[in-house]
Amino acid sequence: MAILNKIRQRSLILILVIALALFAFVIQGVIDNPNAFSNTQGVIATVNGTDIDRVDFQQKVKNYQDRVGGRVTSTQAMNTIYNQELRRIIMDEEYETLGLSVEKDEMRDLLKNSFQSYPEFQDENGTFDVNRLNAFIANLKDLKGEAAPLGNFMVNYESWSNNEQTIAANSIQQSYYDMIKAGISTTIAEAKDDYFGDNKNVDIRFVQIPYTSIADSLITITNADVKTYMNNHEETYKEDANRDVVYVEFKEEASKEDEDAIKASLLALKSDRAEYNSSSKNTDTIPGFDSVTDVEEFINSNSDTKYDATFLRDAQIPAVAKDSLLNLEVGEYYGPYRDGDLFKLTKLLAVKQLADTVKVRHILIPFAGGQRADASVTATPDEAKKTADSILAQINSGTKFLDLLELSSDKVSNEDDGEIEFAYNAGMAPEFKEFSFNNKVGDIEVVGTSFGYHIIEILEQKSFNKAIQLGTISRKIEPSDQTLQDVFNRMSKFEIALKDKDFNELAEEKGLTVKPITFKELDENIPGLGAQRQIVRWSFEEDTEVGNYKNFPVSGFGFVVAKLVEKNDEGLMSVEDASVTALPEIRKEKKAEMIRAKITATSIDDIAKNQGQSPRTATSLTLKNTTLSGAGAEPKVIGTAFGLEQGKVSNPIDGEKGVYIIEVTKITEATEIDNYAPIMNRLNSARRNTVQTKVYKALEEAADIEDNRAKTVY
């Protein structure tokens, strides 16, 4: 009791101590992570003050991935949805500012334009009936989420509403861009400039002093020169923040011992083996491939690929073993042999002659949603199958095939009594082809394909050639557990040794190739390794310093050990990186300055003589063609020519290939035309066609965007 009293007396002190400790803990967390209480973790981006919510964003990404299947990576899906959301917010802001919207009557007109061809919305005369549209929408509401048929699709009220929103959004967008296009026009002066750019021409004499006349060794370029050039061409050398990383690979590959073991296991399957049966207390004989009677079960139980009973023609036999397999006798084996990432043991099971060309006739009964089925087809697959079965029953009962041909939807083959002749390598539905070639003349059956259900009768088979049936047991070439452990141990030892050794030197010592790569913050791919966001994220983490290294598991590959070599913040690229493109341009500038300093004469002939060059001529130059005959693209030279009077000599011009001095010898003015309207119309059309892309690009550049993708879901 005394102890309890003391606790009660000091409870206030304890509470204060605990509170101070908690406060210190929280404050330390804020110091360590300044964004701890920020909302960026729940916001993908903020665009002109509007947030892209993380939860909503991820749901849209999931929906997109569900639609496209596995054709895109997670990062690609997120980038697609991000760009869609960015455009939506930017454009919605524009529409709201302008007061653009779709009213009820306009929406009905839009729906009419979109759905007037659907029979569900037409009256007895084939005319669009708005009342039927309204009834359809009302029925969808009453179904409370269940779907109803519309054409070849099933729709519910939610999907219909989403479609309406899309139609309305497209209409508003069209109105927006139409208003902008209406304000774009071409003046007569612009049309004249365009006309004269094509039709006015000049003749010139010129001398070119090529940059190659001065040796590169005479030019000195410093880092300061490169920096100055970069500053003068900032847009060219501006880059996003990036990280330079080097890495080495530790591949989980099967060793020679692993491969030998796989081949031995395949060979062991040929013979019978004794196996003790604990239930019967007897030793059973397990049949091998030599003596097994049920080949399909044996292969499916022992192989990484399923049994295929197909008789293979010459072109279908795997090229890696084709000659050897064709020379086998029935019952003989070939292998084990390697085919891609598999070792295979193949036994020749049977040989027969198969046709390479067949003639059949068929009746096609399509179903709604089937390939090439038109809108008038409403039968379900089950209904189509029942119809096809009933037709086959009539034929088997004595009704002539041709008398039932009018039931077929294949109007093309119907013109030839339903007959089709095709070779085995023709692009036919696989089920159709399999029945036609693998059965006998006279056989008739119902066969289902993506087009519907066919009643097929085989009329003729010809051009018979050898076909073989193979039984193949395959085993995937994979590393053993011991090999996997060895790879992990080598990777671990390499990483431990990096504490005392240089990354590149250790890699060379271990026979590993050092591979460099540069990441931007939202990148994901490494050539040969695929999407590796884990490495990109690590390289951009605040705690990751230059010189840090780390191992990363790579699914289906093994491991990499990566080292951060350099951090580059947003801004101008490094002098070293810029030098690749900057040095040739700086060298040209310095050579041009040296060449200009040597020119003292004033006439084309004297300058050419003094510089050891020959005067040249170029005729019929136009302002729109920047190519100078014999010199290549020289826009500055062409532009200067059109700014000179006839008989005048230019100052030195720093061109692409050298320094030029030109003299205009003849100016041929373009003849005025009476009507510039066609040119104005052409220019108007060209400009309006670029409106949508240019307007949105300008709006995006002007938008206030705080992009948090790399800090949230990426």
Side-chain angles (χ1 to χ4, degrees):
M1 185 66 69
I3 294 174
L4 288 173
N5 286 332
K6 287 183 179 179
I7 291 175
R8 291 191 188 103
Q9 292 168 6
R10 298 177 183 178
S11 60
L12 180 60
I13 297 173
L14 288 171
I15 291 170
L16 288 171
V17 170
I18 293 170
L20 287 170
L22 288 171
F23 180 73
F25 175 78
V26 171
I27 290 298
Q28 184 61 46
V30 172
I31 293 171
D32 293 340
N33 181 12
N35 296 320
F37 290 105
S38 73
N39 195 38
T40 57
Q41 290 300 313
V43 176
I44 298 297
T46 302
V47 185
N48 292 336
T50 300
D51 292 338
I52 299 177
D53 178 71
R54 182 173 184 267
V55 175
D56 180 59
F57 177 83
Q58 288 180 314
Q59 184 59 50
K60 289 179 178 177
V61 170
K62 181 182 182 302
N63 293 342
Y64 175 73
Q65 288 178 303
D66 290 343
R67 289 198 306 274
V68 301
R71 297 194 297 273
V72 298
T73 67
S74 294
T75 301
Q76 289 171 331
M78 285 188 266
N79 287 340
T80 297
I81 299 302
Y82 173 79
N83 289 330
Q84 288 179 3
E85 290 296 285
L86 192 66
R87 178 181 286 270
R88 178 184 62 79
I89 293 171
I90 290 173
M91 297 310 299
D92 282 354
E93 190 175 273
E94 286 288 292
Y95 304 152
E96 185 176 354
T97 301
L98 295 171
L100 294 177
S101 63
V102 174
E103 301 304 322
K104 184 176 180 180
D105 291 343
E106 185 181 356
M107 190 68 225
R108 282 291 184 262
D109 289 338
L110 292 172
L111 291 175
K112 175 182 177 181
N113 291 336
S114 298
F115 296 104
Q116 60 185 342
S117 63
Y118 282 68
E120 290 89 342
F121 306 138
Q122 295 175 351
D123 61 19
E124 296 77 6
N125 300 318
T127 304
F128 178 78
D129 186 345
V130 69
N131 294 320
R132 296 196 178 200
L133 173 66
N134 293 336
F136 179 82
I137 298 172
N139 180 54
L140 287 180
K141 287 183 181 179
D142 293 339
L143 289 174
K144 300 185 184 304
E146 292 187 20
L150 178 61
N152 293 329
F153 305 98
M154 298 295 291
V155 297
N156 57 26
Y157 186 69
E158 181 182 1
S159 62
W160 177 269
S161 298
N162 290 337
N163 192 42
E164 280 192 358
Q165 291 173 18
T166 300
I167 292 171
N170 289 339
S171 175
I172 293 173
Q173 176 179 280
Q174 189 63 50
S175 298
Y176 175 80
Y177 286 116
D178 284 346
M179 288 193 299
I180 295 176
K181 291 176 182 179
I184 293 175
S185 61
T186 302
T187 65
I188 292 179
E190 289 173 318
K192 285 184 177 181
D193 286 342
D194 185 81
Y195 170 75
F196 287 116
D198 277 327
N199 294 280
K200 178 181 178 179
N201 61 71
V202 299
D203 298 346
I204 65 171
R205 294 180 71 234
F206 69 95
V207 59
Q208 179 205 56
I209 302 102
Y211 294 130
T212 53
S213 63
I214 297 178
D216 288 353
S217 59
L218 298 177
I219 306 300
T220 301
I221 301 175
T222 65
N223 284 348
D225 293 328
V226 177
K227 288 180 180 178
T228 300
Y229 186 84
M230 290 166 60
N231 288 328
N232 292 337
H233 301 80
E234 188 173 315
E235 284 301 315
T236 302
Y237 294 98
K238 187 189 297 183
E239 65 177 4
D240 296 329
N242 61 66
R243 300 290 184 263
D244 291 338
V245 172
V246 293
Y247 67 96
V248 290
E249 301 171 346
F250 294 87
K251 296 182 180 180
E252 293 178 332
E253 297 178 316
S255 64
K256 183 180 183 304
E257 291 77 12
D258 295 336
E259 293 185 0
D260 289 343
I262 295 170
K263 288 188 282 187
S265 70
L266 286 172
L267 290 172
L269 290 171
K270 292 171 61 177
S271 305
D272 298 348
R273 72 179 191 277
E275 186 175 285
Y276 179 72
N277 188 324
S278 58
S279 299
S280 64
K281 308 299 183 182
N282 294 319
T283 299
D284 296 336
T285 299
I286 307 300
F289 207 178
D290 287 335
S291 58
V292 71
T293 54
D294 191 336
V295 172
E296 180 175 2
E297 182 183 5
F298 181 82
I299 290 177
N300 289 342
S301 299
N302 292 283
S303 176
D304 288 336
T305 54
K306 295 297 183 183
Y307 173 68
D308 183 358
T310 304
F311 276 83
L312 304 177
R313 292 163 172 77
D314 185 277
Q316 297 172 286
I317 301 171
V320 68
K322 183 175 180 178
D323 292 340
S324 298
L325 294 174
L326 283 172
N327 289 322
L328 292 176
E329 297 292 333
V330 173
E332 289 185 339
Y333 294 92
Y334 177 67
Y337 60 96
R338 184 167 191 150
D339 187 1
D341 62 351
L342 297 169
F343 273 126
K344 294 181 175 180
L345 176 67
T346 298
K347 181 180 182 180
L348 181 61
L349 302 177
V351 177
K352 70 177 179 180
Q353 298 291 315
L354 287 181
D356 283 335
T357 303
V358 297
K359 180 191 287 186
V360 302
R361 60 184 170 199
H362 81 134
I363 294 171
L364 172 59
I365 307 300
F367 50 76
Q371 194 169 345
R372 297 184 190 169
D374 60 39
S376 64
V377 176
T378 59
T380 66
D382 286 343
E383 291 169 343
K385 174 69 162 58
K386 288 179 182 178
T387 301
D389 288 340
S390 68
I391 293 172
L392 177 61
Q394 292 182 60
I395 294 173
N396 289 336
S397 298
T399 304
K400 292 183 179 180
F401 197 108
L402 297 181
D403 291 342
L404 299 171
L405 199 60
E406 63 182 15
L407 301 175
S408 177
S409 69
D410 187 353
K411 304 306 179 187
V412 175
S413 67
N414 288 355
E415 295 177 1
D416 294 317
D417 294 335
E419 294 182 5
I420 305 174
E421 183 171 354
F422 60 97
Y424 189 82
N425 58 3
M428 301 293 288
E431 302 89 348
F432 195 106
K433 181 189 294 186
E434 181 180 356
F435 175 81
S436 303
F437 282 96
N438 293 344
N439 292 280
K440 303 185 297 296
V441 171
D443 286 353
I444 180 170
E445 191 57 77
V446 172
V447 177
T449 72
S450 61
F451 296 90
Y453 285 91
H454 310 254
I455 301 89
I456 306 175
E457 180 182 6
I458 303 174
L459 301 176
E460 183 182 5
Q461 294 175 331
K462 55 186 179 181
S463 300
F464 284 81
N465 287 293
K466 178 182 178 181
I468 59 176
Q469 185 184 49
L470 302 173
T472 298
I473 306 172
S474 61
R475 293 282 170 85
K476 191 172 179 60
I477 303 173
E478 295 178 321
S480 64
D481 290 343
Q482 182 59 52
T483 297
L484 294 176
Q485 187 61 49
D486 291 344
V487 172
F488 180 81
N489 290 339
R490 283 194 291 112
M491 180 274 295
S492 300
K493 289 178 181 178
F494 180 88
E495 192 173 18
I496 292 169
L498 284 175
K499 295 178 180 178
D500 304 313
K501 291 191 176 183
D502 175 75
F503 191 96
N504 290 54
E505 291 177 359
L506 181 61
E508 184 176 0
E509 178 185 318
K510 300 295 184 182
L512 300 169
T513 301
V514 177
K515 298 184 177 182
I517 191 165
T518 299
F519 293 119
K520 293 181 181 178
E521 196 167 14
L522 295 177
D523 286 347
E524 65 169 344
N525 285 317
I526 297 179
L529 299 180
Q532 298 299 326
R533 277 293 302 166
Q534 54 178 344
I535 302 177
V536 181
R537 281 196 298 268
W538 167 78
S539 69
F540 275 90
E541 288 174 357
E542 291 183 7
D543 294 340
T544 305
E545 302 293 340
V546 171
N548 288 172
Y549 52 86
K550 185 178 180 180
N551 79 76
F552 297 90
V554 178
S555 177
F557 179 86
F559 300 89
V560 300
V561 176
K563 175 186 174 183
L564 180 60
V565 176
E566 189 173 353
K567 289 183 175 183
N568 300 304
D569 295 329
E570 182 179 359
L572 293 179
M573 65 176 62
S574 67
V575 170
E576 181 181 358
D577 291 340
S579 294
V580 175
T581 56
L583 287 179
E585 298 304 316
I586 297 171
R587 194 173 289 117
K588 280 165 53 173
E589 289 181 355
K590 288 180 174 287
K591 287 184 177 182
E593 187 178 350
M594 295 172 67
I595 291 171
R596 279 188 269 106
K598 294 192 301 180
I599 297 173
T600 55
T602 56
S603 72
I604 294 294
D605 292 317
D606 289 343
I607 293 171
K609 182 178 180 181
N610 292 345
Q611 298 299 320
Q613 304 296 326
S614 299
R616 293 149 72 180
T617 61
T619 60
S620 300
L621 300 178
T622 64
L623 197 56
K624 286 188 178 180
N625 186 353
T626 60
T627 300
L628 186 62
S629 178
E634 290 291 356
K636 290 182 181 178
V637 177
I638 304 296
T640 302
F642 278 86
L644 287 177
E645 297 177 6
Q646 186 168 318
K648 295 292 185 179
V649 178
S650 72
N651 293 322
I653 307 162
D654 298 349
E656 296 297 317
K657 303 289 176 58
V659 174
Y660 297 80
I661 299 90
I662 67 172
E663 177 187 1
V664 175
T665 57
K666 181 182 178 183
I667 298 175
T668 304
E669 295 288 350
T671 304
E672 283 271 8
I673 57 178
D674 296 330
N675 184 8
Y676 288 95
I679 299 175
M680 294 172 67
N681 291 336
R682 173 172 57 80
L683 294 177
N684 280 338
S685 177
R687 291 173 181 180
R688 289 169 181 168
N689 287 339
T690 64
V691 160
Q692 195 157 328
T693 301
K694 290 184 176 180
V695 167
Y696 178 72
K697 184 177 180 181
L699 291 171
E700 185 179 356
E701 290 175 352
D704 181 13
I705 302 172
E706 181 184 341
D707 187 351
N708 301 317
R709 282 179 291 170
K711 301 180 183 69
T712 51
V713 295
Y714 283 49

